[in-house]
Amino acid sequence: RRYDAGKDGFIDLMELKLMMEKLGAPQTHLGLKNMIKEVDEDLDNKLSFREFLLIFRKAAAGELQEDSGLHALARLSEIDVSTEGVKGAKSFFEAKVQAIHDASRFEEEIKAEQEEKKKQAEELKQRKAAFKELQSTFKQ
């Protein structure tokens, strides 16, 4: 969701480019196309959530080439405790928890805004109904 700028439920080429740049692993245009092609099951040239998860399944199974953009992406979201140590893992997981917390807080703010809009719309509807009722008493 964080990188789905179009809010269509898919990561397209430009969104993938931006995501890889923000994660510190920029890719060439051709590299990005190859990344999508490697997991694009429905051949729509964009990544669905299922296809995005496929990247991590392939990485866990050792099916990604070491020098591929998908391998770099998978590595950016995992940690090896043996090389990073427990403190590195602790920092990694604390950062993950904070990112999840920030995302849920953002979702809560959006829900609160939507509820406020619904409330305002309902109040407007009630005021209009009250006005029409008052208006009908003057017409009689």
Side-chain angles (χ1 to χ4, degrees):
R1 285 187 221 157
R2 181 180 300 159
Y3 299 104
D4 182 14
K7 304 295 182 213
D8 60 355
F10 296 92
I11 300 290
D12 64 24
L13 185 75
M14 294 311 291
E15 292 165 339
L16 182 61
K17 177 183 185 298
L18 180 66
M19 178 177 70
M20 294 303 289
E21 287 171 355
K22 285 187 176 184
L23 292 173
Q27 301 290 313
T28 64
H29 190 74
L30 185 57
L32 293 165
K33 282 186 169 185
N34 288 334
M35 286 174 67
I36 291 173
K37 185 178 180 182
E38 193 168 342
V39 291
D40 188 15
E41 296 176 322
D42 56 6
L43 304 175
D44 62 354
N45 294 320
K46 52 188 173 181
L47 300 177
S48 66
F49 184 64
R50 174 181 157 56
E51 293 165 341
F52 187 76
L53 292 177
L54 186 59
I55 296 167
F56 301 99
R57 281 193 215 120
K58 284 187 169 204
E63 297 174 6
L64 298 176
Q65 295 178 2
E66 289 286 325
D67 61 342
S68 74
L70 292 180
H71 189 266
L73 176 60
R75 269 195 337 244
L76 289 170
S77 60
E78 56 186 41
I79 190 164
D80 184 359
V81 175
S82 64
T83 59
E84 297 294 329
V86 176
K87 287 187 178 184
K90 180 179 181 265
S91 299
F92 174 80
F93 287 111
E94 285 174 348
K96 284 282 191 189
V97 167
Q98 184 62 40
I100 291 168
H101 173 70
D102 291 346
S104 67
R105 189 180 73 222
F106 180 67
E107 289 174 8
E108 288 172 12
E109 289 174 5
I110 290 173
K111 285 180 184 178
E113 281 181 22
Q114 290 173 340
E115 289 298 320
E116 183 63 28
K117 286 181 183 179
K118 285 180 186 177
K119 183 179 172 184
Q120 289 174 353
E122 185 62 34
E123 288 174 357
L124 179 63
K125 186 177 175 181
Q126 289 175 353
R127 284 195 309 266
K128 284 183 178 181
F131 179 77
K132 284 186 179 187
E133 186 178 317
L134 186 62
Q135 187 180 27
S136 68
T137 59
F138 282 110
K139 286 184 179 180
Q140 293 175 353

